[in-house]
Amino acid sequence: MNRKEISELRRRFNPDKNSIGHIYGCYVNTKKEIIAYLDESLATMPPEEAEKYLGFLKKAMSGTLGKNLIDIVFSTQQVADSEEHKLLMNLRETELKDPAVRQAFYDKVIESLDMDNSNYLVLLAHDAYDVPFKAKDGLTFDQVSDTMFHYVVCCICPVKEGKAALGFYSAQNEFHSYGTNQTVAQPDLGFVFPAFDDRAANIYNALFYTRKPDQLHQEFIDGIFHTEAPMSAAEQRETFESVLSESLGEGCTLQVAQSLHEWMRDKVEEYKESREDEPLTVTAADVSAVLQDCQVSEEQVQAFAAQYAEHFGSAALNPANLMNVGKFELETEEAKISVDPERSSLLETTEINGRKYLLIPAENMSVNGLPVQV
């Protein structure tokens, strides 16, 4: 799914734009016991309550592709004959109306999910989207359609204990303490099945959501989808840094790091301005070309390409996952220095009396906000 397709589905989660009949779910405690079930008509809920539920479900389609939103791919064998895919298809085909199918799904979630000793709420909804044709301008939509997209959206929300507080009771004209409340927090994870690819159902894919890009909840992915997720954004960055360091050796200089950072930052900025729908990616060949421009030896470039292939295969990766393009930070055993990414080229290295130093322009200097003279 690309950004435009995700946005199109997200717009469904307004009270007047969806065909969701019921909100289903279960409340699970830290002992992995279901202590309450949810089966409520969206139409009969108070409007503010309905908006809360829709907001939670909508959150399962938010964030950045490749970081918060991960493409889950089923094998042909799984689609043809596997328990995990059959269960997801049953949820979709029964429109969540079969209690036995819902219970089988809840059991799978409870069996696999690790929520760090937190109570949590499983929410499920089914929507049927009458997909409109795109008009000739590609921007507006015609009302006539012959495609109905049936899909299930799920999210898992931690339920947190509130804090005891002091409140004013107008009847007694007094202040008194009142007990803690349990509050449903924003989802930690969720998914949409099937994927909405090319504005139609793709039963070979699902869209998985994680609130924290460095926590993909692999145990949930294993239990529900029985497939291996891609590396998390944090794992991609750590692996990429390791590949660069090991393959380039002494060739991994400050100048190389500056060039790579500037190149990736420019790619991200250009992508934002272009408003492209497809995710931004770079390949090993792209990075190799930057290394060659930095006069890195051909042997080291080839070593980088080989190690990249060993760890990432032929995958194209989001540059924002490989480097933090929003900051440029240098760290030694004695100091840590943050520099405006647009000004990183001002930094240089030198050697004095056999010792290496970092050169930084010192005009208009301050210490903790206090202007000082050099």
Side-chain angles (χ1 to χ4, degrees):
M1 293 174 66
N2 60 37
R3 291 197 298 189
K4 186 172 288 186
E5 290 160 346
I6 292 169
S7 295
E8 189 173 343
L9 280 194
R10 279 174 55 83
R11 288 193 292 270
R12 299 282 300 162
F13 286 78
N14 293 318
D16 58 342
K17 291 187 177 180
N18 64 78
S19 62
I20 296 173
H22 276 68
I23 299 291
Y24 299 98
C26 65
Y27 180 28
V28 183
N29 65 16
T30 56
K31 297 179 181 179
K32 293 182 173 286
E33 300 168 336
I34 296 177
I35 56 178
Y37 286 95
L38 177 67
D39 180 356
E40 293 192 36
S41 168
L42 195 67
T44 59
M45 286 183 191
E48 62 276 10
E49 192 173 313
E51 288 183 16
K52 285 287 186 184
Y53 281 118
L54 291 174
F56 288 139
L57 293 165
K58 183 178 182 179
K59 192 69 175 177
M61 292 175 275
S62 64
T64 304
L65 282 165
K67 296 185 74 171
N68 307 95
L69 296 171
I70 308 296
D71 193 29
I72 299 293
V73 181
F74 295 101
S75 68
T76 303
Q77 181 59 39
Q78 282 181 294
V79 174
D81 183 25
S82 71
E83 291 185 7
E84 60 274 7
H85 198 271
K86 282 181 181 178
L87 179 56
L88 293 172
M89 289 297 290
N90 284 340
L91 288 171
R92 177 187 183 228
E93 290 168 358
T94 61
E95 300 182 1
L96 302 176
K97 295 176 182 177
D98 188 329
V101 176
R102 295 199 306 270
Q103 185 62 53
F105 176 74
Y106 298 151
D107 291 343
K108 278 283 188 184
V109 171
I110 294 167
E111 178 186 350
S112 62
L113 185 60
D114 179 8
M115 289 292 282
D116 293 328
N117 292 317
S118 171
N119 296 347
Y120 60 90
L121 178 65
V122 181
L123 290 178
L124 281 171
H126 169 272
D127 185 30
Y129 178 26
D130 194 10
V131 183
F133 285 125
K134 272 190 179 180
K136 292 182 180 179
D137 60 11
L139 300 175
T140 59
F141 297 100
D142 295 330
Q143 295 303 311
V144 181
S145 169
D146 62 357
T147 301
M148 186 68 74
F149 176 55
H150 288 269
Y151 64 103
V152 172
V153 59
C154 169
C155 65
I156 313 292
C157 304
V159 179
K160 301 180 178 180
E161 293 286 347
K163 296 181 179 179
L166 193 66
F168 181 70
Y169 291 74
S170 56
Q172 294 87 16
N173 200 34
E174 295 174 342
F175 286 93
H176 297 285
S177 63
Y178 59 88
T180 60
N181 295 315
Q182 293 187 323
T183 304
V184 180
Q186 289 294 320
D188 265 8
L189 65 154
F191 68 87
V192 173
F193 176 82
F196 186 52
D197 289 335
D198 295 324
R199 305 184 69 239
N202 176 7
I203 63 172
Y204 285 81
N205 289 66
L207 183 70
F208 177 77
Y209 164 78
T210 179
R211 183 172 65 87
K212 299 178 180 179
D214 58 340
Q215 295 181 11
L216 289 187
H217 288 278
Q218 183 63 55
E219 79 286 354
F220 180 89
I221 294 173
D222 287 339
I224 301 303
F225 306 114
H226 202 60
T227 187
E228 185 175 348
M231 288 183 185
S232 68
E235 290 172 327
Q236 288 180 35
R237 182 174 302 172
E238 182 179 337
T239 304
F240 182 73
E241 290 171 351
S242 176
V243 167
L244 275 175
S245 178
E246 292 179 11
S247 60
L248 301 190
E250 292 184 358
C252 192
T253 63
L254 173 61
Q255 290 72 29
V256 168
Q258 287 171 319
S259 297
L260 279 172
H261 189 275
E262 183 179 354
W263 175 74
M264 291 192 183
R265 183 170 56 83
D266 288 345
K267 295 283 286 186
V268 171
E269 290 301 318
E270 290 170 7
Y271 176 72
K272 289 178 181 178
E273 293 175 3
S274 71
R275 304 185 67 83
E276 285 286 334
D277 295 325
E278 298 301 324
L280 172 64
T281 58
V282 297
T283 65
D286 296 328
V287 179
S288 295
V290 178
L291 296 178
Q292 288 170 337
D293 289 342
C294 296
Q295 307 304 312
V296 173
S297 72
E298 187 62 31
E299 182 182 350
Q300 290 170 326
V301 172
Q302 290 177 1
F304 164 78
Q307 287 203 32
Y308 183 102
E310 180 182 343
H311 290 87
F312 297 113
S314 58
L317 304 174
N318 186 335
N321 290 357
L322 304 181
M323 283 189 172
N324 186 344
V325 297
K327 70 175 183 179
F328 192 89
E329 186 174 86
L330 298 94
E331 185 173 356
T332 70
E333 293 180 357
E334 293 82 16
K336 181 184 290 187
I337 303 169
S338 293
V339 182
D340 182 339
E342 295 185 359
R343 310 286 287 173
S344 66
S345 60
L346 295 176
L347 301 179
E348 298 179 21
T349 56
T350 190
E351 187 172 312
I352 302 174
N353 297 327
R355 191 172 184 183
K356 296 175 182 177
Y357 289 89
L358 182 68
L359 301 181
I360 305 173
E363 293 87 3
N364 300 320
M365 190 166 68
S366 64
V367 176
N368 293 334
L370 174 66
V372 296
Q373 299 300 317
V374 179

